């Protein structure tokens, strides 16, 4: 029943449920609280009993129902993790860490040795994944169970082959909601944060990538899942380029050890966004007009690089798209958003330089790298552009080794706190990078 080690699952989620009676432990699915409330023990969320009562008098949890219904008529099955056994694990990596990466990698290993938590705050394009390899290797050799989780499926899909390649003889499992492969026990696991809700005291080390990204950020259900998934004595590692206020506060109060990597591997400063006034952009776009200062910016930028244009809403992007097409009839361009069925093809075409302009919703704010691009955020003062989104968007520029003089422009008609904060954060990292000798030019 290895399948149940470190898991907390319902009968219907178990592959070999006929063997269940053999020595597995059962845990309650829900807990009754005072004042007619009931708590789900998979996702931790609390409901008023009368709102979640079923016709058979059982209670269920609506919050985590997408993982299969939990109700008081069922129980969880669980087996504790086996004892740790040291072993040899082959590790194949030819790359070289920069001085900054090496330092973070060492601090991370030290934290894993002490079973303490740590945040790694590394700027966009710093090369986060390589910094994890050594601590993953150390953990596996100790016999630890280690998980790398991300809120976003595409990040998991990208991470899995990279990590697997470095540990070629290690059995690893990729786990997310859309996969068909069934669950099996492995010491190394890459999964979405939602999948953590099915684990109980499983991980000695758990790394959460993009901890500030949707849907993990501000999601009590997923945070509860993380707490349940780790062993009482374990290391929880948070990776981010744009930490939440809650995390930075913990750092400031010395409650969370933090490693900061303020520079990219190519030793150049992060491009600092430039601000430009764009009078009544919202009204103009609604009337089907593309603002003049916006078009001027495109003309300047496109002489050197391709241009990625971020729009606050899909509706505005559609209206703007038509106007831009009229103004740039000779230029290959497209627009893309989350509901676009051709999303992946379009991103690929932009990467292959088949488009010169790509308009996008915030969906491309993270996780994508294009060669030789500049970025415009049209309507940067819109509420959809939070500080973290703006820092991530600015981080799309100048990620490759070759320098192409890519620029970042925030077009707005009223500077917001988020815009100022984003610029401040980027400048702060540049200063820190220079101070620590991780950046060559000014
Ligand atoms: Zn629940």
């Amino acid at each position: 029943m290895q399948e149940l080690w470190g898991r907390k699952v319902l009968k219907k989620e178990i592959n070999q449920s006929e063997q269940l009676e053999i020595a597995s432990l059962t845990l309650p699915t829900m807990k009754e609280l005072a004042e007619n409330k009931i708590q789900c023990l998979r996702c931790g969320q609390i409901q008023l009993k009368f709102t979640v009562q079923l016709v058979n008098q059982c209670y269920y949890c609506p919050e985590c129902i997408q993982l299969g219904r939990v109700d008081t008529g069922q129980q969880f099955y669980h087996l504790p993790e086996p004892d740790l056994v040291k072993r040899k694990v082959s590790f194949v990596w030819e790359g070289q860490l920069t001085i900054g990466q090496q330092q973070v990698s060492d601090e991370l290993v030290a934290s894993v040795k002490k079973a303490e938590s740590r945040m790694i705050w590394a700027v966009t394009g710093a090369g986060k994944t390589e910094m994890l390899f050594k601590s993953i290797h150390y953990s596996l050799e100790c016999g630890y169970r280690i998980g790398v989780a991300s809120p976003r499926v595409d990040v998991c899909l990208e991470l899995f082959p990279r990590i697997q390649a470095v540990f070629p003889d290690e059995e690893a499992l990729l786990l997310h909601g859309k996969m068909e492969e069934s669950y099996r026990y492995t010491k190394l696991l890459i999964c979405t944060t939602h999948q953590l809700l099915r684990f109980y005291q499983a991980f000695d080390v758990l790394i959460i990538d993009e901890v500030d990204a949707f849907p993990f950020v501000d999601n009590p259900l997923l945070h509860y899942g993380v707490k349940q998934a780790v062993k009482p004595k374990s290391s929880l590692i948070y990776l981010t380029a744009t930490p939440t206020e809650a995390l930075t506060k913990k750092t400031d109060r010395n409650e969370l050890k933090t490693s900061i990597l303020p520079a990219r591997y190519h030793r150049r400063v992060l491009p600092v966004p430039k601000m430009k006034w764009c009078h009544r952009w919202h009204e103009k776009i609604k009337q089907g007009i593309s603002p003049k200062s916006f078009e001027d910016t495109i003309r300047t930028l496109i002489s050197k690089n391709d241009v990625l244009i971020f729009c606050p809403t899909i509706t505005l992007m559609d209206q703007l798209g038509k106007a831009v097409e009229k103004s740039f009839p000779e230029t290959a361009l497209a627009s893309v958003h989350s509901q676009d069925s051709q999303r992946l093809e379009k991103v690929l075409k932009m990467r292959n330089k088949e488009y010169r302009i790509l308009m996008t919703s915030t969906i491309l704010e993270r996780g994508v790298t294009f060669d030789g691009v500049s970025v415009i955020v049209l309507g940067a003062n819109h509420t959809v552009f939070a500080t973290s989104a703006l820092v991530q968007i600015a981080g799309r520029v100048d990620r490759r080794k070759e320098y192409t003089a890519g620029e970042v422009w925030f077009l707005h008609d009223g500077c917001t706190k988020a815009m100022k904060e984003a610029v401040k954060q980027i400048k702060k990292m540049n200063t820190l990078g220079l101070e620590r000798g991780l950046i060559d030019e000014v």
Side-chain angles (χ1 to χ4, degrees):
M1 284 265 72
Q2 284 193 8
E3 193 191 330
L4 285 177
W5 288 348
R7 297 276 276 175
K8 191 172 78 176
V9 286
L10 302 167
K11 195 169 187 175
K12 60 191 172 197
E13 294 171 314
I14 300 169
N15 298 327
Q16 297 162 311
S17 54
E18 69 278 0
Q19 291 179 30
L20 260 191
E21 281 43 347
I22 312 168
S24 63
L25 303 176
T26 54
L27 301 168
T29 50
M30 299 184 91
K31 183 178 163 191
E32 300 212 16
L33 306 174
E35 295 170 352
N36 278 319
K37 288 179 183 163
I38 191 157
Q39 183 183 28
C40 168
L41 297 176
R42 178 162 69 184
C43 72
Q45 302 313 293
I46 297 168
Q47 314 289 336
L48 275 170
K49 276 160 104 178
F50 79 90
T51 62
V52 294
Q53 188 163 26
L54 298 163
V55 280
N56 62 2
Q57 306 303 308
C58 284
Y59 300 101
Y60 79 104
C61 174
E63 299 281 344
C64 60
I65 200 155
Q66 76 270 33
L67 291 172
R69 192 177 83 188
V70 160
D71 62 54
T72 46
Q74 305 178 75
Q75 48 194 356
F76 288 127
Y77 293 86
H78 164 75
L79 279 176
E81 284 286 323
D83 291 339
L84 303 179
V85 181
K86 289 200 174 181
R87 62 202 175 107
K88 267 259 144 298
V89 175
S90 65
F91 175 37
V92 186
W93 189 59
E94 312 261 285
Q96 179 93 39
L97 296 178
T98 63
I99 299 166
Q101 283 175 317
Q102 186 64 54
Q103 198 180 341
V104 175
S105 170
D106 293 345
E107 287 168 356
L108 193 54
V109 173
S111 281
V112 169
K113 284 183 180 169
K114 285 190 253 174
E116 68 181 8
S117 295
R118 177 172 287 274
M119 168 162 77
I120 298 178
W121 180 354
V123 292
T124 52
K128 279 181 295 175
T129 313
E130 301 90 298
M131 296 191 283
L132 305 178
F133 293 159
K134 212 171 153 202
S135 43
I136 295 177
H137 184 230
Y138 173 82
S139 302
L140 292 172
E141 290 213 317
C142 288
Y144 290 169
R145 193 172 195 192
I146 177 161
V148 183
S150 166
R152 308 187 328 133
V153 182
D154 3 353
V155 174
C156 295
L157 294 173
E158 198 220 300
L159 277 176
F160 183 72
R162 287 180 68 190
I163 294 176
Q164 179 81 88
V166 178
F167 304 102
D169 300 330
E170 185 67 21
E171 239 197 287
L173 181 69
L174 173 67
L175 211 55
H176 59 80
K178 290 179 197 134
M179 64 178 289
E180 277 160 27
E181 193 184 354
S182 61
Y183 174 80
R184 66 179 194 280
Y185 185 85
T186 56
K187 288 286 185 187
L188 179 58
L189 184 89
I190 287 97
C191 67
T192 53
T193 44
H194 269 99
Q195 294 297 324
L196 295 174
L197 293 169
R198 294 200 175 104
F199 288 86
Y200 184 62
Q201 302 192 345
F203 299 103
D204 301 277
V205 178
L206 181 58
I207 299 169
I208 317 268
D209 192 12
E210 303 248 24
V211 67
D212 59 296
F214 178 81
F216 188 76
V217 66
D218 302 329
N219 185 328
L221 177 144
L222 296 177
H223 287 262
Y224 180 89
V226 167
K227 279 195 199 124
Q228 294 279 306
V230 291
K231 286 185 181 171
K233 188 176 167 242
S234 55
S235 287
L236 196 50
I237 310 295
Y238 301 104
L239 283 185
T240 178
T242 43
T244 57
E245 223 180 300
L247 283 173
T248 48
K249 270 190 186 151
K250 276 191 176 178
T251 303
D252 294 343
R253 289 197 297 253
N254 276 329
E255 289 167 11
L256 179 65
K257 292 263 171 71
T258 299
S259 301
I260 298 182
L261 181 54
R264 290 171 167 174
Y265 65 97
H266 57 43
R267 301 181 63 86
R268 286 192 292 272
V269 287
L270 299 166
V272 178
K274 297 168 189 168
M275 310 265 194
K276 192 175 196 178
W277 188 261
C278 186
H279 195 58
R280 300 170 93 164
W281 56 268
H282 195 266
E283 285 169 39
K284 282 184 187 152
I285 297 170
K286 271 170 89 177
Q287 292 159 13
I289 304 165
S290 85
K292 187 176 174 300
S293 63
F294 166 64
E295 292 200 349
D296 291 346
T297 314
I298 298 181
R299 278 197 187 90
T300 318
L301 296 178
I302 210 157
S303 62
K304 289 187 210 146
N305 285 292
D306 295 337
V307 184
L308 203 53
I309 300 166
F310 285 84
C311 303
T313 68
I314 297 173
T315 320
L316 282 172
M317 185 167 75
D318 286 343
Q319 288 160 330
L320 182 69
K322 288 174 198 132
V324 175
E325 263 174 47
K326 256 187 229 161
S327 306
F328 296 86
E330 307 293 320
T331 309
L333 57 87
S335 58
V336 67
H337 55 81
S338 59
Q339 275 109 52
D340 191 335
S341 59
Q342 293 175 306
R343 172 182 150 189
L344 295 175
E345 288 159 69
K346 286 179 179 173
V347 169
L348 198 64
K349 280 188 170 176
M350 182 69 177
R351 215 170 259 160
N352 293 340
K353 305 265 168 205
E354 287 174 54
Y355 299 134
R356 300 253 19 236
I357 298 176
L358 183 63
M359 281 181 276
T360 175
S361 61
T362 51
I363 146 174
L364 294 188
E365 83 178 31
R366 324 167 164 246
V368 285
T369 295
F370 299 108
D371 284 340
V373 283
S374 285
V375 158
I376 300 173
V377 183
L378 180 57
N381 53 320
H382 191 281
T383 49
V384 76
F385 296 117
T387 305
S388 59
L390 291 169
V391 172
Q392 288 284 353
I393 288 171
R396 296 310 101 203
V397 176
D398 195 29
R399 296 169 77 88
R400 298 287 195 196
K401 196 157 191 180
E402 194 186 329
Y403 181 64
T404 65
E407 295 177 32
V408 183
W409 284 88
F410 290 170
L411 270 56
H412 67 99
D413 56 1
C415 195
T416 61
K417 199 174 155 225
M419 289 163 63
K420 285 183 203 156
E421 194 54 43
V423 173
K424 198 173 128 192
Q425 235 183 63
I426 291 167
K427 284 183 173 168
K428 185 182 150 191
M429 284 294 174
N430 283 340
T431 311
L432 209 56
L434 282 165
E435 278 170 13
R436 286 177 40 190
L438 301 173
I439 291 171
D440 289 329
E441 46 155 356
V442 181

